[in-house]
Amino acid sequence: MQTSSHPPQPDAAPPLASCGHMWVFAYGSLIWRPGFDHAGSHPALLRGFHRRFCLWSRHYRGTPEAPGLVLGLDRGGACRGVAFRVPGAAAAAVLRYLDDRELPDGAEVVYHRRVLPVRLVDGAGGLTVPAVTYVANRGCTLYVPALAPEEAAATIARGVGQMGRNRDYLLNTLNHLKAMGVRDAGLARIAALLPED
């Protein structure tokens, strides 16, 4: 299965699986606010990357004066999330939407779009599918190599941006993971350190 770390090509054909659909792996806000129509979704496991608050947010969940933090997929470990199945006929439009959302024109590239193998972990029999995945760009100036949970919690507690409060982003993600039966110990520790609302 091919993977790509090159910048996306706007006119490139969407990466369809052998079933004729495109798969999209969600690990953060895409889980609870995908923003695109899909034909189905499955709990899924991605190996080789883990979910982490590793990117400063100076617009969506913070400001330049008081940046917030957003999730990215960083190298190592594994990540439980959701794989959305997008019909082939809608794949090009969905890919454009996702690139606009995750790779906004003119802004610093904080994510690389890649196609990575994810395993469906529900009744799909452990099927592995190639999924469009947005991975943190470690080379961008917004990348946060390491942050203590206490510092992450303090940053998230004060972050408010165009998309609302940073703490809501964290808690929504945690609540939806919990509903899936997934416990993310790193996120739960940060949430436990948030001051009372």
Side-chain angles (χ1 to χ4, degrees):
M1 184 177 302
Q2 283 190 326
T3 62
S4 173
S5 59
H6 300 293
Q9 301 300 315
D11 299 322
L16 301 182
S18 58
C19 62
H21 295 95
M22 181 177 77
W23 294 87
V24 177
F25 181 70
Y27 58 88
S29 62
L30 276 179
I31 293 175
W32 43 271
R33 189 176 59 85
F36 58 87
D37 291 333
H38 49 276
S41 62
H42 300 266
L45 175 68
L46 171 67
R47 295 194 182 279
F49 294 89
H50 64 286
R51 177 179 27 242
R52 189 169 77 79
F53 277 105
C54 61
L55 293 162
W56 295 115
S57 177
R58 297 193 174 117
H59 299 289
Y60 294 120
R61 295 291 172 175
T63 64
E65 298 75 28
L69 289 165
V70 290
L71 292 166
L73 285 174
D74 210 356
R75 291 194 297 241
C79 179
R80 292 280 302 271
V82 173
F84 291 104
R85 181 167 50 89
V86 177
V94 169
L95 198 60
R96 282 194 299 272
Y97 163 77
L98 289 170
D99 281 352
D100 286 346
R101 175 171 167 166
E102 306 294 345
L103 309 169
D105 185 39
E108 185 171 6
V109 177
V110 296
Y111 297 104
H112 289 305
R113 188 218 303 156
R114 297 182 60 183
V115 178
L116 297 171
V118 301
R119 186 165 62 86
L120 309 183
V121 293
D122 57 1
L127 180 68
T128 296
V129 297
V132 172
T133 308
Y134 291 86
V135 173
N137 173 14
R138 286 182 154 215
C140 78
T141 62
L142 300 178
Y143 176 73
V144 184
L147 207 59
E150 294 78 8
E151 189 176 352
T155 300
I156 289 168
R158 64 178 173 263
V160 182
Q162 295 170 1
M163 298 300 292
R165 300 190 309 167
N166 206 171
R167 69 183 295 136
D168 293 340
Y169 171 85
L170 165 58
L171 296 176
N172 275 336
T173 302
L174 265 179
N175 288 337
H176 281 78
L177 289 173
K178 183 178 178 182
M180 294 166 50
V182 175
R183 174 171 169 75
D184 187 306
L187 267 58
R189 184 173 178 197
I190 294 169
L193 292 167
L194 288 174
E196 287 196 22
D197 200 0

Short mmCIF file of all heavy atoms in Angstrom, two decimals, residues 55-56 70 102-104 107-112 135-138 140-143:
data_model
loop_
_atom_site.label_atom_id
_atom_site.label_comp_id
_atom_site.label_asym_id
_atom_site.label_seq_id
_atom_site.Cartn_x
_atom_site.Cartn_y
_atom_site.Cartn_z
N LEU A 55 0.15 21.04 18.35
CA LEU A 55 0.15 22.17 17.43
C LEU A 55 -0.47 23.40 18.09
O LEU A 55 -1.57 23.31 18.67
CB LEU A 55 -0.64 21.83 16.16
CG LEU A 55 -0.02 20.74 15.28
CD1 LEU A 55 -1.07 20.17 14.33
CD2 LEU A 55 1.18 21.28 14.51
N TRP A 56 0.23 24.53 18.04
CA TRP A 56 -0.35 25.78 18.51
C TRP A 56 -1.49 26.19 17.58
O TRP A 56 -1.42 25.97 16.37
CB TRP A 56 0.69 26.90 18.53
CG TRP A 56 1.82 26.71 19.48
CD1 TRP A 56 3.14 26.54 19.16
CD2 TRP A 56 1.76 26.67 20.91
NE1 TRP A 56 3.89 26.40 20.29
CE2 TRP A 56 3.08 26.47 21.39
CE3 TRP A 56 0.71 26.78 21.83
CZ2 TRP A 56 3.38 26.39 22.74
CZ3 TRP A 56 1.01 26.70 23.18
CH2 TRP A 56 2.32 26.50 23.63
N VAL A 70 -4.18 22.44 19.38
CA VAL A 70 -5.04 21.50 18.67
C VAL A 70 -4.30 20.18 18.51
O VAL A 70 -3.08 20.09 18.63
CB VAL A 70 -5.51 22.03 17.30
CG1 VAL A 70 -6.49 23.18 17.49
CG2 VAL A 70 -4.35 22.45 16.44
N GLU A 102 -8.14 21.52 6.54
CA GLU A 102 -6.91 21.15 7.23
C GLU A 102 -5.66 21.82 6.64
O GLU A 102 -4.65 21.95 7.33
CB GLU A 102 -6.72 19.62 7.19
CG GLU A 102 -7.90 18.83 7.73
CD GLU A 102 -8.14 19.03 9.21
OE1 GLU A 102 -7.26 19.55 9.91
OE2 GLU A 102 -9.23 18.68 9.67
N LEU A 103 -5.73 22.22 5.38
CA LEU A 103 -4.57 22.82 4.70
C LEU A 103 -4.99 24.15 4.07
O LEU A 103 -4.97 24.29 2.85
CB LEU A 103 -4.05 21.87 3.61
CG LEU A 103 -3.77 20.42 4.02
CD1 LEU A 103 -3.53 19.56 2.80
CD2 LEU A 103 -2.58 20.36 4.96
N PRO A 104 -5.41 25.12 4.87
CA PRO A 104 -5.96 26.37 4.29
C PRO A 104 -4.93 27.09 3.44
O PRO A 104 -3.75 27.17 3.79
CB PRO A 104 -6.35 27.19 5.52
CG PRO A 104 -5.55 26.61 6.64
CD PRO A 104 -5.36 25.17 6.32
N ALA A 107 -1.94 29.75 4.50
CA ALA A 107 -1.53 29.58 5.89
C ALA A 107 -0.34 28.61 5.94
O ALA A 107 -0.05 27.89 4.99
CB ALA A 107 -2.68 29.04 6.73
N GLU A 108 0.32 28.59 7.07
CA GLU A 108 1.41 27.63 7.25
C GLU A 108 0.86 26.21 7.21
O GLU A 108 -0.22 25.93 7.75
CB GLU A 108 2.10 27.88 8.59
CG GLU A 108 3.32 27.02 8.78
CD GLU A 108 4.14 27.39 9.99
OE1 GLU A 108 3.71 28.26 10.76
OE2 GLU A 108 5.21 26.81 10.16
N VAL A 109 1.58 25.32 6.57
CA VAL A 109 1.13 23.92 6.46
C VAL A 109 1.42 23.21 7.78
O VAL A 109 2.57 22.92 8.09
CB VAL A 109 1.84 23.22 5.28
CG1 VAL A 109 1.43 21.75 5.23
CG2 VAL A 109 1.52 23.91 3.97
N VAL A 110 0.37 22.97 8.55
CA VAL A 110 0.55 22.31 9.85
C VAL A 110 0.28 20.80 9.77
O VAL A 110 0.65 20.06 10.67
CB VAL A 110 -0.34 22.95 10.95
CG1 VAL A 110 0.08 24.39 11.21
CG2 VAL A 110 -1.81 22.88 10.59
N TYR A 111 -0.36 20.37 8.69
CA TYR A 111 -0.63 18.94 8.49
C TYR A 111 -0.15 18.52 7.11
O TYR A 111 -0.20 19.30 6.16
CB TYR A 111 -2.13 18.64 8.57
CG TYR A 111 -2.77 18.93 9.90
CD1 TYR A 111 -3.57 20.06 10.07
CD2 TYR A 111 -2.61 18.08 11.00
CE1 TYR A 111 -4.18 20.34 11.28
CE2 TYR A 111 -3.20 18.35 12.21
CZ TYR A 111 -3.99 19.48 12.35
OH TYR A 111 -4.59 19.75 13.56
N HIS A 112 0.31 17.28 7.02
CA HIS A 112 0.56 16.65 5.73
C HIS A 112 -0.57 15.66 5.48
O HIS A 112 -0.90 14.85 6.36
CB HIS A 112 1.89 15.89 5.74
CG HIS A 112 3.10 16.77 5.77
ND1 HIS A 112 3.32 17.77 4.85
CD2 HIS A 112 4.17 16.79 6.60
CE1 HIS A 112 4.46 18.37 5.12
NE2 HIS A 112 4.99 17.81 6.18
N VAL A 135 -1.55 14.29 9.13
CA VAL A 135 -0.49 14.04 10.10
C VAL A 135 0.20 15.36 10.42
O VAL A 135 0.41 16.19 9.54
CB VAL A 135 0.52 13.01 9.53
CG1 VAL A 135 1.72 12.85 10.43
CG2 VAL A 135 -0.18 11.67 9.29
N ALA A 136 0.56 15.56 11.68
CA ALA A 136 1.24 16.80 12.08
C ALA A 136 2.54 16.99 11.31
O ALA A 136 3.32 16.06 11.14
CB ALA A 136 1.52 16.78 13.58
N ASN A 137 2.74 18.21 10.86
CA ASN A 137 3.98 18.59 10.17
C ASN A 137 4.99 19.04 11.22
O ASN A 137 4.91 20.14 11.75
CB ASN A 137 3.69 19.72 9.17
CG ASN A 137 4.96 20.27 8.54
OD1 ASN A 137 6.04 19.67 8.63
ND2 ASN A 137 4.85 21.42 7.89
N ARG A 138 5.95 18.17 11.51
CA ARG A 138 6.95 18.48 12.53
C ARG A 138 7.87 19.62 12.14
O ARG A 138 8.56 20.17 12.99
CB ARG A 138 7.77 17.23 12.83
CG ARG A 138 7.04 16.19 13.64
CD ARG A 138 7.95 15.00 13.93
NE ARG A 138 7.51 14.32 15.14
CZ ARG A 138 8.33 13.75 16.00
NH1 ARG A 138 9.64 13.79 15.79
NH2 ARG A 138 7.87 13.15 17.07
N CYS A 140 6.88 22.56 10.88
CA CYS A 140 6.25 23.88 10.90
C CYS A 140 6.52 24.58 12.24
O CYS A 140 6.81 23.94 13.25
CB CYS A 140 4.75 23.79 10.63
SG CYS A 140 3.74 23.25 12.00
N THR A 141 6.41 25.90 12.23
CA THR A 141 6.73 26.67 13.45
C THR A 141 5.67 26.49 14.53
O THR A 141 5.92 26.85 15.69
CB THR A 141 6.86 28.17 13.12
OG1 THR A 141 5.60 28.66 12.63
CG2 THR A 141 7.94 28.42 12.09
N LEU A 142 4.50 25.95 14.19
CA LEU A 142 3.44 25.75 15.18
C LEU A 142 3.53 24.40 15.88
O LEU A 142 2.74 24.11 16.79
CB LEU A 142 2.06 25.90 14.52
CG LEU A 142 1.79 27.27 13.88
CD1 LEU A 142 0.41 27.28 13.21
CD2 LEU A 142 1.88 28.38 14.91
N TYR A 143 4.48 23.57 15.46
CA TYR A 143 4.63 22.25 16.08
C TYR A 143 5.19 22.40 17.49
O TYR A 143 6.14 23.15 17.73
CB TYR A 143 5.55 21.38 15.23
CG TYR A 143 5.84 20.03 15.83
CD1 TYR A 143 4.87 19.03 15.85
CD2 TYR A 143 7.07 19.76 16.41
CE1 TYR A 143 5.13 17.80 16.42
CE2 TYR A 143 7.35 18.53 16.97
CZ TYR A 143 6.38 17.55 16.98
OH TYR A 143 6.63 16.33 17.55
#
